[in-house]
């Protein structure tokens, strides 16, 4: 009898920055800054534990786009200033500063022309570039399944620097496979790197008891997230 293996990797995704601001808003703490080049241009991702609508109408000065975000401040592990020279093709520099307690300024300067820039917010701590697990033939043949959690650190370039097992799957072979493959993963550049990131990998056979529990947990996560978003909107 053939089984179909399900592999799930959970991590957050970025959300578009909305051009609206609540009338009474608390100062939003930006705890991480990431960037990547997309088909639409340079995307700058602001990481915050409490994503909400932020006002950011860009202004243009020659080859430069400037975003001034009120009701926000930088709270990076390495300080209140971030700058990258030649971060991606066509961009001369990115600088993000928190000049006062209520405003964050993002300045993107193009090399030869005005760069296309998208600013996003994200509740996620990480964004993956290369992070697919390969289920080995040996594990497939044994029909071994399990859930493992790992804790990792990444540097400013998104490379994994430290990794340890956060929760065992109950099977040494799965744990070792996950630990080995996580070390080769690649994430989006982050201003100060990230520490103590929790990553979860599920190796599940369709129709098993573990599969059923995983589906129920996934649904519960969705319900909890919907509730959190509704409470945030009501609070605004």
């Amino acid at each position: 009898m053939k089984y179909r293996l399900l592999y799930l990797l959970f991590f957050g995704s970025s959300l578009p920055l909305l051009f609206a601001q609540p009338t009474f808003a608390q100062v939003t703490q930006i705890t991480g800054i990431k960037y990547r080049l997309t088909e639409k241009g340079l995307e700058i991702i602001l990481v915050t534990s409490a994503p909400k609508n932020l006002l950011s109408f860009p202004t243009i000065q020659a080859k430069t786009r400037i975003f001034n975000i009120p009701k926000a401040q930088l709270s990076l592990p390495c300080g209140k200033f971030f700058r990258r020279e030649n971060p991606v093709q066509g961009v001369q520099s990115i600088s993000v500063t928190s000049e006062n307690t209520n405003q964050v300024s993002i300045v993107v300067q193009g090399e030869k022309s005005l760069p296309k820039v998208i600013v996003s917010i994200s509740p996620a701590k990480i964004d993956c570039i290369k992070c697919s697990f390969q289920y080995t033939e040996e594990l497939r043949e044994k029909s071994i399944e399990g859930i493992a959690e790992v804790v990792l650190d990444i540097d400013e370039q998104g490379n994994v620097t430290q990794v340890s097992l956060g929760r065992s799957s109950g099977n040494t072979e799965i744990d070792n496979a996950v630990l080995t493959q996580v070390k080769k993963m690649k994430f989006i550049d982050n201003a100060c790197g990230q520490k103590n990131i929790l990553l979860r990998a599920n190796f599940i056979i369709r129709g098993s008891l573990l599969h059923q529990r995983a589906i129920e947990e996934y649904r519960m996560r969705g319900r909890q997230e919907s509730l959190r978003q509704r409470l945030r909107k009501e609070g605004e």
Side-chain angles (χ1 to χ4, degrees):
M1 179 177 181
K2 294 184 178 179
Y3 297 96
R4 181 178 179 184
L5 175 74
L6 300 182
Y7 159 66
L8 300 175
L9 176 64
F10 293 99
F11 54 89
S13 58
S14 60
L15 305 172
L17 187 65
L18 303 178
F19 297 106
Q21 182 185 359
T23 304
F24 300 100
Q26 296 181 345
V27 175
T28 299
Q29 301 293 322
I30 295 173
T31 58
I33 300 171
K34 296 173 279 189
Y35 61 87
R36 59 186 173 189
L37 188 61
T38 70
E39 295 179 353
K40 297 181 179 180
L42 172 66
E43 181 181 15
I44 298 175
I45 304 168
L46 306 178
V47 180
T48 171
S49 60
K52 60 178 65 179
N53 298 346
L54 298 174
L55 178 64
S56 182
F57 293 104
T59 58
I60 297 173
Q61 295 180 1
K63 297 182 294 182
T64 303
R65 287 189 187 272
I66 302 172
F67 298 79
N68 291 316
I69 304 175
K71 300 296 183 181
Q73 64 180 192
L74 291 183
S75 184
L76 304 175
C78 56
K80 294 189 176 183
F81 179 79
F82 167 74
R83 183 176 178 86
R84 284 290 181 275
E85 301 290 342
N86 303 309
V88 298
Q89 184 178 2
V91 176
Q92 182 173 323
S93 65
I94 301 172
S95 65
V96 186
T97 59
S98 186
E99 298 179 356
N100 54 60
T101 58
N102 295 316
Q103 179 172 289
V104 169
S105 296
I106 303 173
V107 180
V108 181
Q109 184 173 358
E111 291 179 345
K112 298 180 180 180
S113 60
L114 183 68
K116 295 180 180 179
V117 184
I118 302 169
V119 178
S120 302
I121 57 173
S122 173
K125 291 185 178 180
I126 56 173
D127 286 286
C128 185
I129 296 175
K130 179 183 178 183
C131 59
S132 59
F133 285 110
Q134 298 297 320
Y135 196 66
T136 65
E137 188 65 30
E138 183 179 359
L139 293 177
R140 282 199 189 96
E141 290 177 354
K142 295 178 181 179
S143 297
I144 295 174
E145 59 179 348
I147 300 172
E149 291 183 352
V150 291
V151 180
L152 59 144
D153 298 345
I154 62 174
D155 60 19
E156 295 181 1
Q157 288 72 46
N159 301 307
V160 177
T161 57
Q162 297 287 339
V163 60
S164 61
L165 192 65
R167 188 182 75 172
S168 172
S169 66
N171 182 280
T172 303
E173 293 178 84
I174 288 181
D175 292 347
N176 290 338
V178 171
L179 288 170
T180 298
Q181 294 180 36
V182 164
K183 295 175 183 178
K184 301 176 182 179
M185 291 184 176
K186 175 71 175 177
F187 300 90
I188 292 177
D189 295 2
N190 195 301
C192 307
Q194 287 285 344
K195 294 184 180 298
N196 299 320
I197 297 169
L198 181 65
L199 196 64
R200 181 183 184 188
N202 293 358
F203 290 95
I204 301 174
I205 297 173
R206 182 180 292 276
S208 69
L209 291 176
L210 186 59
H211 177 214
Q212 295 173 20
R213 290 199 298 267
I215 291 176
E216 181 57 34
E217 183 177 348
Y218 179 78
R219 290 172 178 169
M220 184 178 297
R221 284 170 179 259
R223 290 193 292 267
Q224 291 173 345
E225 180 59 28
S226 297
L227 178 60
R228 282 194 292 267
Q229 290 180 4
R230 189 180 54 146
L231 291 176
R232 279 199 297 265
K233 290 180 180 179
E234 291 176 354
E236 294 175 356

